[in-house]
C-alpha cells in the first residue's frame, strides 16, 4: 500500500503540472527577448549562472536517486517484517520472540531514519548553491551591465528584474519537471 500510494502521488504530480511544459518555452523566450533588448550581452551572465545551476541540480538528482533507492529498500524490508509480525502474532507470542523481532524491526527503522537524515543534510547543502545564485542573480547581471560602461535606468531595472524572476521561475519549473521525471523513473523500476 505504501509503494502504491507514493508512486501514484508521483504520477499525479507529474500529470497535474504538465501544462507548464507547454507554457514554459513561450515565457522563457519572451523574458529572454526583454532581457536582451534592455541589457544586451550582459544578459548572458544570467545564462552562465543558470548553466551552473543546471549542473548542480543534475548532481543533486543523482544523489537523490541513489539515496532514495536505498531508503526505499530499507523501508520495504521493514514493512515486510512488520506485516509478517502481524500475520504471525500468535507464533511470536507463543515462542516468546516478540523482543528479538521488535529489535530487528527497530534496527531497520533506525537505519532508514539515518539514511533519511543523511539525505536531508545533503539536500540542505546542495540546495544552498541554487538559492544563493537565485537571490544574487539580478545584482550580478546589473553589475555586469554597469561594469561594461552602460548606464541603467530605473525602468530598465524594474523590467529586467521582473523578466529575470520570470525566467528564474520557468527554470525552476524545468528543474522540478526533471526531478518529477526522475521520480517517475524510480517508481517504474
Amino acid at each position: 500500500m505504501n509503494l502504491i500510494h507514493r508512486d501514484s502521488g508521483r504520477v499525479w504530480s507529474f500529470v497535474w503540472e504538465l501544462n507548464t511544459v507547454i507554457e514554459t518555452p513561450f515565457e522563457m523566450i519572451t523574458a529572454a527577448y526583454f532581457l536582451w533588448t534592455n541589457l544586451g550581452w550582459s544578459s548572458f551572465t544570467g545564462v552562465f549562472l543558470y548553466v551552473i545551476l543546471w549542473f548542480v541540480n543534475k548532481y543533486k538528482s543523482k544523489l537523490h536517486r541513489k539515496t532514495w533507492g536505498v531508503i526505499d529498500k530499507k523501508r520495504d524490508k521493514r514493512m515486510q517484517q512488520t506485516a509478517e509480525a502481524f500475520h504471525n502474532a500468535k507464533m511470536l507470542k507463543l515462542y516468546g520472540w516478540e523482543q528479538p523481532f521488535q529489535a530487528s524491526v527497530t534496527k531497520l527503522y533506525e537505519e532508514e531514519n539515518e539514511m533519511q537524515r543523511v539525505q536531508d543534510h545533503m539536500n540542505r547543502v546542495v540546495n544552498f548553491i541554487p538559492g544563493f545564485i537565485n537571490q544574487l542573480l539580478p545584482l550580478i547581471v546589473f553589475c555586469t551591465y554597469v561594469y561594461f560602461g552602460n548606464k541603467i535606468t530605473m525602468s530598465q531595472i524594474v523590467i529586467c528584474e521582473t523578466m529575470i524572476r520570470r525566467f528564474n521561475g520557468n527554470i525552476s519549473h524545468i528543474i522540478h519537471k526533471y526531478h518529477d521525471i526522475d521520480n517517475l523513473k524510480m517508481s517504474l523500476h
Side-chain angles (χ1 to χ4, degrees), residues 92-118:
L92 289 173
K93 293 269 187 197
L94 180 65
Y95 292 111
W97 292 339
E98 302 114 337
Q99 296 300 326
F101 207 80
Q102 182 182 6
S104 173
V105 171
T106 303
K107 180 182 175 206
L108 287 171
Y109 181 71
E110 288 171 356
E111 288 174 2
E112 179 186 335
N113 280 342
E114 182 59 32
M115 285 296 298
Q116 184 68 44
R117 280 192 289 276
V118 167

mmCIF file of all heavy atoms in Angstrom, residues 92-118:
data_model
loop_
_atom_site.group_PDB
_atom_site.id
_atom_site.type_symbol
_atom_site.label_atom_id
_atom_site.label_comp_id
_atom_site.label_asym_id
_atom_site.label_seq_id
_atom_site.Cartn_x
_atom_site.Cartn_y
_atom_site.Cartn_z
ATOM 1 N N LEU A 92 4.653 -15.594 17.463
ATOM 2 C CA LEU A 92 5.625 -14.760 18.167
ATOM 3 C C LEU A 92 5.374 -14.778 19.673
ATOM 4 O O LEU A 92 6.308 -14.877 20.471
ATOM 5 C CB LEU A 92 5.576 -13.316 17.644
ATOM 6 C CG LEU A 92 6.131 -13.068 16.248
ATOM 7 C CD1 LEU A 92 5.846 -11.632 15.810
ATOM 8 C CD2 LEU A 92 7.614 -13.343 16.193
ATOM 9 N N LYS A 93 4.104 -14.675 20.048
ATOM 10 C CA LYS A 93 3.741 -14.695 21.474
ATOM 11 C C LYS A 93 4.009 -16.077 22.081
ATOM 12 O O LYS A 93 4.522 -16.187 23.192
ATOM 13 C CB LYS A 93 2.260 -14.342 21.654
ATOM 14 C CG LYS A 93 1.917 -12.939 21.299
ATOM 15 C CD LYS A 93 2.039 -12.093 22.511
ATOM 16 C CE LYS A 93 1.526 -10.697 22.194
ATOM 17 N NZ LYS A 93 1.974 -9.767 23.158
ATOM 18 N N LEU A 94 3.635 -17.122 21.365
ATOM 19 C CA LEU A 94 3.772 -18.477 21.876
ATOM 20 C C LEU A 94 5.232 -18.825 22.169
ATOM 21 O O LEU A 94 5.545 -19.389 23.220
ATOM 22 C CB LEU A 94 3.189 -19.481 20.867
ATOM 23 C CG LEU A 94 3.259 -20.959 21.262
ATOM 24 C CD1 LEU A 94 2.393 -21.211 22.501
ATOM 25 C CD2 LEU A 94 2.815 -21.838 20.107
ATOM 26 N N TYR A 95 6.116 -18.480 21.292
ATOM 27 C CA TYR A 95 7.522 -18.834 21.464
ATOM 28 C C TYR A 95 8.353 -17.730 22.117
ATOM 29 O O TYR A 95 9.554 -17.881 22.294
ATOM 30 C CB TYR A 95 8.140 -19.223 20.120
ATOM 31 C CG TYR A 95 7.583 -20.506 19.582
ATOM 32 C CD1 TYR A 95 6.778 -20.502 18.453
ATOM 33 C CD2 TYR A 95 7.839 -21.720 20.215
ATOM 34 C CE1 TYR A 95 6.246 -21.678 17.949
ATOM 35 C CE2 TYR A 95 7.310 -22.903 19.722
ATOM 36 C CZ TYR A 95 6.521 -22.881 18.592
ATOM 37 O OH TYR A 95 5.997 -24.046 18.110
ATOM 38 N N GLY A 96 7.734 -16.588 22.437
ATOM 39 C CA GLY A 96 8.443 -15.509 23.123
ATOM 40 C C GLY A 96 9.452 -14.785 22.229
ATOM 41 O O GLY A 96 10.504 -14.367 22.689
ATOM 42 N N TRP A 97 9.119 -14.647 20.974
ATOM 43 C CA TRP A 97 10.038 -13.999 20.028
ATOM 44 C C TRP A 97 9.717 -12.511 19.840
ATOM 45 O O TRP A 97 10.258 -11.871 18.948
ATOM 46 C CB TRP A 97 9.942 -14.673 18.663
ATOM 47 C CG TRP A 97 10.455 -16.077 18.617
ATOM 48 C CD1 TRP A 97 11.327 -16.673 19.471
ATOM 49 C CD2 TRP A 97 10.119 -17.055 17.645
ATOM 50 N NE1 TRP A 97 11.555 -17.954 19.104
ATOM 51 C CE2 TRP A 97 10.823 -18.241 17.970
ATOM 52 C CE3 TRP A 97 9.287 -17.086 16.541
ATOM 53 C CZ2 TRP A 97 10.737 -19.402 17.241
ATOM 54 C CZ3 TRP A 97 9.200 -18.239 15.799
ATOM 55 C CH2 TRP A 97 9.922 -19.380 16.146
ATOM 56 N N GLU A 98 8.879 -11.942 20.681
ATOM 57 C CA GLU A 98 8.495 -10.539 20.482
ATOM 58 C C GLU A 98 9.683 -9.606 20.561
ATOM 59 O O GLU A 98 9.856 -8.729 19.714
ATOM 60 C CB GLU A 98 7.455 -10.081 21.523
ATOM 61 C CG GLU A 98 6.200 -10.866 21.540
ATOM 62 C CD GLU A 98 6.045 -11.643 22.833
ATOM 63 O OE1 GLU A 98 7.053 -11.925 23.501
ATOM 64 O OE2 GLU A 98 4.911 -11.973 23.157
ATOM 65 N N GLN A 99 10.500 -9.763 21.597
ATOM 66 C CA GLN A 99 11.629 -8.858 21.802
ATOM 67 C C GLN A 99 12.649 -8.924 20.660
ATOM 68 O O GLN A 99 13.043 -7.869 20.140
ATOM 69 C CB GLN A 99 12.302 -9.137 23.154
ATOM 70 C CG GLN A 99 11.420 -8.882 24.369
ATOM 71 C CD GLN A 99 10.960 -7.447 24.428
ATOM 72 O OE1 GLN A 99 11.668 -6.538 24.034
ATOM 73 N NE2 GLN A 99 9.741 -7.239 24.927
ATOM 74 N N PRO A 100 13.101 -10.128 20.244
ATOM 75 C CA PRO A 100 14.056 -10.158 19.123
ATOM 76 C C PRO A 100 13.461 -9.596 17.831
ATOM 77 O O PRO A 100 14.144 -8.899 17.080
ATOM 78 C CB PRO A 100 14.390 -11.639 18.951
ATOM 79 C CG PRO A 100 14.028 -12.288 20.234
ATOM 80 C CD PRO A 100 12.936 -11.466 20.818
ATOM 81 N N PHE A 101 12.189 -9.888 17.591
ATOM 82 C CA PHE A 101 11.546 -9.398 16.375
ATOM 83 C C PHE A 101 11.392 -7.879 16.429
ATOM 84 O O PHE A 101 11.625 -7.181 15.455
ATOM 85 C CB PHE A 101 10.198 -10.079 16.194
ATOM 86 C CG PHE A 101 9.778 -10.157 14.767
ATOM 87 C CD1 PHE A 101 10.288 -11.140 13.945
ATOM 88 C CD2 PHE A 101 8.889 -9.239 14.248
ATOM 89 C CE1 PHE A 101 9.914 -11.215 12.620
ATOM 90 C CE2 PHE A 101 8.515 -9.306 12.923
ATOM 91 C CZ PHE A 101 9.024 -10.298 12.099
ATOM 92 N N GLN A 102 11.019 -7.361 17.600
ATOM 93 C CA GLN A 102 10.885 -5.924 17.771
ATOM 94 C C GLN A 102 12.244 -5.246 17.599
ATOM 95 O O GLN A 102 12.337 -4.186 16.974
ATOM 96 C CB GLN A 102 10.300 -5.591 19.145
ATOM 97 C CG GLN A 102 10.107 -4.106 19.356
ATOM 98 C CD GLN A 102 9.558 -3.802 20.752
ATOM 99 O OE1 GLN A 102 9.432 -4.694 21.577
ATOM 100 N NE2 GLN A 102 9.250 -2.553 20.971
ATOM 101 N N ALA A 103 13.290 -5.859 18.124
ATOM 102 C CA ALA A 103 14.636 -5.296 17.977
ATOM 103 C C ALA A 103 15.048 -5.251 16.505
ATOM 104 O O ALA A 103 15.659 -4.271 16.046
ATOM 105 C CB ALA A 103 15.640 -6.107 18.786
ATOM 106 N N SER A 104 14.691 -6.293 15.765
ATOM 107 C CA SER A 104 15.017 -6.341 14.338
ATOM 108 C C SER A 104 14.309 -5.229 13.568
ATOM 109 O O SER A 104 14.923 -4.524 12.759
ATOM 110 C CB SER A 104 14.631 -7.705 13.774
ATOM 111 O OG SER A 104 14.766 -7.738 12.394
ATOM 112 N N VAL A 105 13.020 -5.051 13.831
ATOM 113 C CA VAL A 105 12.249 -4.010 13.148
ATOM 114 C C VAL A 105 12.744 -2.625 13.567
ATOM 115 O O VAL A 105 12.875 -1.719 12.736
ATOM 116 C CB VAL A 105 10.741 -4.178 13.423
ATOM 117 C CG1 VAL A 105 9.947 -2.991 12.904
ATOM 118 C CG2 VAL A 105 10.225 -5.465 12.805
ATOM 119 N N THR A 106 13.049 -2.449 14.843
ATOM 120 C CA THR A 106 13.559 -1.164 15.329
ATOM 121 C C THR A 106 14.894 -0.829 14.680
ATOM 122 O O THR A 106 15.139 0.330 14.310
ATOM 123 C CB THR A 106 13.697 -1.193 16.866
ATOM 124 O OG1 THR A 106 12.418 -1.505 17.428
ATOM 125 C CG2 THR A 106 14.171 0.137 17.392
ATOM 126 N N LYS A 107 15.761 -1.823 14.528
ATOM 127 C CA LYS A 107 17.055 -1.602 13.886
ATOM 128 C C LYS A 107 16.868 -1.147 12.439
ATOM 129 O O LYS A 107 17.521 -0.197 11.985
ATOM 130 C CB LYS A 107 17.896 -2.871 13.932
ATOM 131 C CG LYS A 107 19.252 -2.718 13.297
ATOM 132 C CD LYS A 107 20.019 -4.024 13.328
ATOM 133 C CE LYS A 107 21.321 -3.837 12.566
ATOM 134 N NZ LYS A 107 21.822 -5.061 12.038
ATOM 135 N N LEU A 108 15.969 -1.797 11.707
ATOM 136 C CA LEU A 108 15.693 -1.398 10.336
ATOM 137 C C LEU A 108 15.125 0.018 10.270
ATOM 138 O O LEU A 108 15.480 0.816 9.403
ATOM 139 C CB LEU A 108 14.720 -2.376 9.682
ATOM 140 C CG LEU A 108 15.275 -3.745 9.328
ATOM 141 C CD1 LEU A 108 14.160 -4.678 8.894
ATOM 142 C CD2 LEU A 108 16.320 -3.625 8.243
ATOM 143 N N TYR A 109 14.248 0.340 11.211
ATOM 144 C CA TYR A 109 13.653 1.689 11.265
ATOM 145 C C TYR A 109 14.724 2.740 11.531
ATOM 146 O O TYR A 109 14.732 3.806 10.901
ATOM 147 C CB TYR A 109 12.571 1.724 12.340
ATOM 148 C CG TYR A 109 11.879 3.051 12.456
ATOM 149 C CD1 TYR A 109 11.008 3.484 11.455
ATOM 150 C CD2 TYR A 109 12.090 3.874 13.548
ATOM 151 C CE1 TYR A 109 10.371 4.702 11.555
ATOM 152 C CE2 TYR A 109 11.452 5.091 13.655
ATOM 153 C CZ TYR A 109 10.598 5.500 12.663
ATOM 154 O OH TYR A 109 9.978 6.708 12.753
ATOM 155 N N GLU A 110 15.647 2.455 12.439
ATOM 156 C CA GLU A 110 16.715 3.406 12.743
ATOM 157 C C GLU A 110 17.659 3.580 11.555
ATOM 158 O O GLU A 110 18.114 4.688 11.277
ATOM 159 C CB GLU A 110 17.472 2.956 13.993
ATOM 160 C CG GLU A 110 16.667 3.134 15.265
ATOM 161 C CD GLU A 110 17.321 2.498 16.483
ATOM 162 O OE1 GLU A 110 18.383 1.848 16.332
ATOM 163 O OE2 GLU A 110 16.746 2.653 17.575
ATOM 164 N N GLU A 111 17.958 2.487 10.846
ATOM 165 C CA GLU A 111 18.800 2.591 9.651
ATOM 166 C C GLU A 111 18.115 3.445 8.579
ATOM 167 O O GLU A 111 18.749 4.276 7.930
ATOM 168 C CB GLU A 111 19.104 1.205 9.089
ATOM 169 C CG GLU A 111 20.060 0.391 9.918
ATOM 170 C CD GLU A 111 20.218 -1.032 9.399
ATOM 171 O OE1 GLU A 111 19.601 -1.373 8.362
ATOM 172 O OE2 GLU A 111 20.968 -1.797 10.040
ATOM 173 N N GLU A 112 16.827 3.239 8.415
ATOM 174 C CA GLU A 112 16.055 4.017 7.451
ATOM 175 C C GLU A 112 16.068 5.501 7.821
ATOM 176 O O GLU A 112 16.280 6.370 6.973
ATOM 177 C CB GLU A 112 14.630 3.478 7.418
ATOM 178 C CG GLU A 112 13.697 4.197 6.489
ATOM 179 C CD GLU A 112 12.274 3.694 6.637
ATOM 180 O OE1 GLU A 112 12.061 2.544 7.064
ATOM 181 O OE2 GLU A 112 11.369 4.481 6.331
ATOM 182 N N ASN A 113 15.844 5.799 9.093
ATOM 183 C CA ASN A 113 15.856 7.195 9.544
ATOM 184 C C ASN A 113 17.233 7.827 9.406
ATOM 185 O O ASN A 113 17.340 9.016 9.091
ATOM 186 C CB ASN A 113 15.383 7.291 10.991
ATOM 187 C CG ASN A 113 13.883 7.243 11.090
ATOM 188 O OD1 ASN A 113 13.188 7.460 10.107
ATOM 189 N ND2 ASN A 113 13.385 6.955 12.274
ATOM 190 N N GLU A 114 18.293 7.057 9.644
ATOM 191 C CA GLU A 114 19.648 7.588 9.492
ATOM 192 C C GLU A 114 19.925 7.950 8.034
ATOM 193 O O GLU A 114 20.489 8.995 7.746
ATOM 194 C CB GLU A 114 20.687 6.574 9.991
ATOM 195 C CG GLU A 114 22.103 7.066 9.918
ATOM 196 C CD GLU A 114 22.367 8.334 10.721
ATOM 197 O OE1 GLU A 114 21.719 8.538 11.775
ATOM 198 O OE2 GLU A 114 23.213 9.135 10.281
ATOM 199 N N MET A 115 19.500 7.080 7.121
ATOM 200 C CA MET A 115 19.654 7.390 5.693
ATOM 201 C C MET A 115 18.845 8.636 5.325
ATOM 202 O O MET A 115 19.298 9.465 4.534
ATOM 203 C CB MET A 115 19.208 6.207 4.833
ATOM 204 C CG MET A 115 20.170 5.055 4.789
ATOM 205 S SD MET A 115 21.742 5.462 4.023
ATOM 206 C CE MET A 115 21.243 5.885 2.370
ATOM 207 N N GLN A 116 17.660 8.770 5.901
ATOM 208 C CA GLN A 116 16.834 9.943 5.632
ATOM 209 C C GLN A 116 17.514 11.212 6.149
ATOM 210 O O GLN A 116 17.509 12.245 5.477
ATOM 211 C CB GLN A 116 15.452 9.782 6.282
ATOM 212 C CG GLN A 116 14.497 10.899 5.989
ATOM 213 C CD GLN A 116 14.081 10.935 4.548
ATOM 214 O OE1 GLN A 116 13.792 9.905 3.963
ATOM 215 N NE2 GLN A 116 14.045 12.106 3.961
ATOM 216 N N ARG A 117 18.122 11.134 7.329
ATOM 217 C CA ARG A 117 18.850 12.292 7.874
ATOM 218 C C ARG A 117 20.037 12.657 6.991
ATOM 219 O O ARG A 117 20.295 13.836 6.756
ATOM 220 C CB ARG A 117 19.304 12.012 9.298
ATOM 221 C CG ARG A 117 18.218 12.199 10.336
ATOM 222 C CD ARG A 117 18.795 12.203 11.743
ATOM 223 N NE ARG A 117 19.245 10.882 12.165
ATOM 224 C CZ ARG A 117 18.465 9.945 12.682
ATOM 225 N NH1 ARG A 117 17.182 10.182 12.857
ATOM 226 N NH2 ARG A 117 18.957 8.781 13.039
ATOM 227 N N VAL A 118 20.757 11.656 6.502
ATOM 228 C CA VAL A 118 21.891 11.920 5.615
ATOM 229 C C VAL A 118 21.407 12.603 4.346
ATOM 230 O O VAL A 118 22.004 13.579 3.884
ATOM 231 C CB VAL A 118 22.649 10.604 5.289
ATOM 232 C CG1 VAL A 118 23.619 10.799 4.149
ATOM 233 C CG2 VAL A 118 23.366 10.086 6.513
#
